[in-house]
Amino acid sequence: MTVTTPSSAPRALSRRLRAVQVGAVAEGFMLWVPIEKLFQTEIGFDAATIGLMAAAYAAVVPLLEVPTGILADRWSRKGILVVASLAAGASALIGGLSQSVPLYIVAAMVLGIYFALSSGTVDSVVYDTVVEETGSSDLYERWMGRVRIVESVSLAASAVLGGVIAELTGARLTYFLTIPFALAGVVAYLRFDEPQLHRTEERTALREHVSTTLHAMVAAPRVRTTILLLALTALLSQTVFEFGPLWLVDLQAPPGAYGPYWALLVGTLGVGGYLAGRLDLDRRGLVAVLAAVLVAAAVVLSTSRQLIVVAAAQTALALVLAMLGIHAGRLLHDAVSSRIRAGVSSGAGTFSWLLFLPFSLVLGALARRDGVQTAGWLVVGAVAVLAVLLVVVVARSPRTTPQPEPHPAEVVRADVSGPPPVDLVCQELVTVVSDYLDGVLPADWRERVDDHLSGCDGCSGYLGQLRTMLDRLAELEVQQGRPPQSLM
């Protein structure tokens, strides 16, 4: 682990994460995005084939997210980011070469591979770099926010530039001009000094690694709840970006309104990233206010017929969701071990897709049959669930990366005659660690300890240090001609 003084930690973080920020800027320059629908109509797409393309893309991302996340944990997260940038470039190349619907669908599926590779990997490397340099996750939101800020600026600038290029030269060129930016992302990630936290633990067989990852996602209540929080946040954010323009269509907004409206939505990614690093999102009062803003903004979508009011409500939704996405990511990373971090984070992304697909179908059907305002009540319901879950998760979550403090000699042993707590915390683990190491801890308690260790870097390291100390002391006992005894 890199050792830095408090004064040098910010400078070291800035140096190490600069490559990630440059990579995010490069990948955000997808010049073809603002004119994609125009280009699709030029090569023969209609509403039915656009739906087919969306289905193909939506099938690729959740199918690959968890496997590629596990690959990132076992192989190299930097390597996965490099491959992701290559996939983005390949998608732009295939899209630019497309003269028909089938080839363009292939381009969309390759783009799905890019998103699957990136999902959970960028935030994992940012989190581990912050922990390596500072010893805690306190600065994660600030630095993840900075990545989102530069990404947002890149998306906005490329949208404007792509429209100008398409106007002057044609839509196809925007695809080819995107390729150099994707290759610049490859160069940036190759220069990244990858954190090594996920490699400090003993390497396990692939089957065991997969089992540990899946077990952490479904067995630990804290992880399950945080994954649900992340998935709902992602679902609603995608809903705003995918379905938000339908409200403008319903209100017969003039064509000139769409540009400023889209700029506002894209800008929320950067502003949300900035605020996530400046606000203390563990404060219950602040979280309650944000939850109220979410619900109020969603209700406006189902009640207002004023264009400016609706646009402001969607902007407020997107802004708060951008903040919550970063904060929920930190809570999830705090709850799992580094060696399975990218896999679990990718699993949260997969779950969000599995939720979004039926949600989007129902929302689209309601909007077509009864209008977007009626469909908006479905959004209100999802937002209400998110608001309640947000308050519960923040109320139960510890503030910093768990680190057991007491020395075992100073800890009173816990009473293990009763059932163990559902979600064992660090201090409770310390009180039973002696029985755990001696092999006399009841089976139900031992299972809870194993669950906690699979998701806590601090306690895993603590237990490893105790085992090393006990092994050394046992060796001394043997050298002195005495049988080794339990030292706990």
Side-chain angles (χ1 to χ4, degrees):
M1 180 181 294
T2 304
V3 178
T4 57
T5 63
S7 60
S8 65
R11 293 194 299 272
L13 270 175
S14 180
R15 286 193 301 269
R16 291 186 70 182
L17 292 176
R18 189 175 297 122
V20 177
Q21 292 174 296
V22 172
V25 169
E27 289 181 345
F29 263 89
M30 294 185 176
L31 299 168
W32 52 268
V33 170
I35 51 82
E36 181 186 25
K37 295 299 183 286
L38 173 63
F39 181 72
Q40 287 176 333
T41 58
E42 292 176 356
I43 62 174
F45 272 88
D46 56 22
T49 49
I50 287 176
L52 178 63
M53 181 202 70
Y57 167 84
V60 167
V61 179
L63 183 66
L64 294 180
E65 273 186 309
V66 172
T68 56
I70 292 175
L71 180 61
D73 286 329
R74 291 184 63 84
W75 174 48
S76 167
R77 293 170 184 170
K78 178 170 76 172
I80 288 294
L81 291 175
V82 169
V83 177
S85 289
L86 290 173
S91 174
L93 176 62
I94 297 170
L97 293 174
S98 297
Q99 301 287 344
S100 62
V101 170
L103 187 58
Y104 195 91
I105 290 178
V106 172
M109 294 176 71
V110 175
L111 185 67
I113 294 174
Y114 156 71
F115 281 112
L117 290 166
S118 299
S119 173
T121 307
V122 172
D123 50 298
S124 294
V125 297
V126 172
Y127 184 94
D128 277 4
T129 304
V130 169
V131 173
E132 265 193 8
E133 294 292 344
T134 68
S136 79
S137 63
D138 290 353
L139 295 179
Y140 167 76
E141 284 134 323
R142 177 171 299 182
W143 284 95
M144 194 66 219
R146 292 184 180 184
V147 173
R148 292 288 179 251
I149 289 170
V150 298
E151 187 179 49
S152 173
V153 171
S154 177
L155 287 168
S158 65
V160 174
L161 185 58
V164 172
I165 293 172
E167 179 71 24
L168 296 177
T169 65
R172 190 178 298 275
L173 184 61
T174 61
Y175 287 83
F176 296 127
L177 291 181
T178 296
I179 298 173
F181 290 101
L183 296 179
V186 171
V187 174
Y189 290 130
L190 285 173
R191 296 176 62 86
F192 175 52
D193 180 14
E194 181 179 7
Q196 301 298 314
L197 276 178
H198 62 299
R199 294 176 175 169
T200 57
E201 300 180 36
E202 182 179 355
R203 189 175 177 86
T204 59
L206 176 59
R207 179 178 296 181
E208 183 180 349
H209 189 120
V210 173
S211 176
T212 301
T213 301
L214 297 178
H215 184 267
M217 291 168 58
V218 301
R222 178 183 168 196
V223 176
R224 285 203 310 266
T225 307
T226 308
I227 286 178
L228 180 58
L229 176 65
L230 261 175
L232 283 175
T233 302
L235 177 149
L236 287 166
S237 181
Q238 192 166 358
T239 298
V240 172
F241 280 90
E242 292 289 341
F243 291 94
L246 293 180
W247 268 263
L248 274 68
V249 174
D250 181 65
L251 295 173
Q252 299 180 343
Y258 285 83
Y261 159 80
W262 192 253
L264 278 173
L265 283 187
V266 174
T268 60
L269 299 176
V271 177
Y274 174 83
L275 292 176
R278 294 297 186 275
L279 300 177
D280 184 0
L281 296 177
D282 288 300
R283 290 173 51 196
R284 297 181 186 180
L286 176 59
V287 167
V289 170
L290 294 178
V293 170
L294 284 174
V295 174
V299 170
V300 167
L301 296 182
S302 295
T303 57
S304 177
R305 299 291 301 175
Q306 298 295 320
L307 178 60
I308 294 179
V309 175
V310 168
Q314 291 189 17
T315 302
L317 268 175
L319 177 61
V320 176
L321 291 169
M323 296 164 56
L324 296 182
I326 293 175
H327 181 66
R330 197 213 79 200
L331 295 178
L332 180 63
H333 293 317
D334 279 351
V336 299
S337 169
S338 178
R339 69 188 179 94
I340 60 172
R341 186 160 287 142
V344 173
S345 184
S346 296
T350 297
F351 188 41
S352 72
W353 276 101
L354 295 177
L355 290 177
F356 178 75
L357 287 176
F359 185 85
S360 62
L361 290 174
V362 174
L363 183 65
L366 284 175
R368 182 172 59 251
R369 189 187 68 185
D370 302 319
V372 292
Q373 283 196 309
T374 300
W377 288 109
L378 184 63
V379 178
V380 174
V383 165
V385 173
L386 174 63
V388 173
L389 187 63
L390 174 65
V391 173
V392 171
V393 168
V394 171
R396 293 181 178 177
S397 298
R399 176 63 188 93
T400 57
T401 307
Q403 295 291 341
E405 295 294 339
H407 188 279
E410 302 170 354
V411 177
V412 178
R413 295 193 178 197
D415 179 10
V416 296
S417 59
V422 175
D423 196 3
L424 193 79
V425 298
C426 298
Q427 298 300 324
E428 291 168 330
L429 180 140
V430 171
T431 65
V432 299
V433 70
S434 60
D435 287 348
Y436 180 83
L437 290 172
D438 288 341
V440 297
L441 193 65
D444 53 350
W445 277 84
R446 189 173 190 87
E447 182 180 355
R448 287 287 184 267
V449 171
D450 288 336
D451 289 343
H452 181 89
L453 291 172
S454 70
C456 180
D457 291 337
C459 287
S460 296
Y462 173 70
L463 188 65
Q465 292 172 355
L466 285 178
R467 280 176 169 154
T468 300
M469 179 187 71
L470 293 175
D471 289 342
R472 297 287 173 82
L473 291 174
E475 291 174 3
L476 289 175
E477 293 281 359
V478 172
Q479 289 173 3
Q480 294 173 6
R482 290 180 293 178
Q485 301 175 1
S486 171
L487 300 174
M488 298 298 291

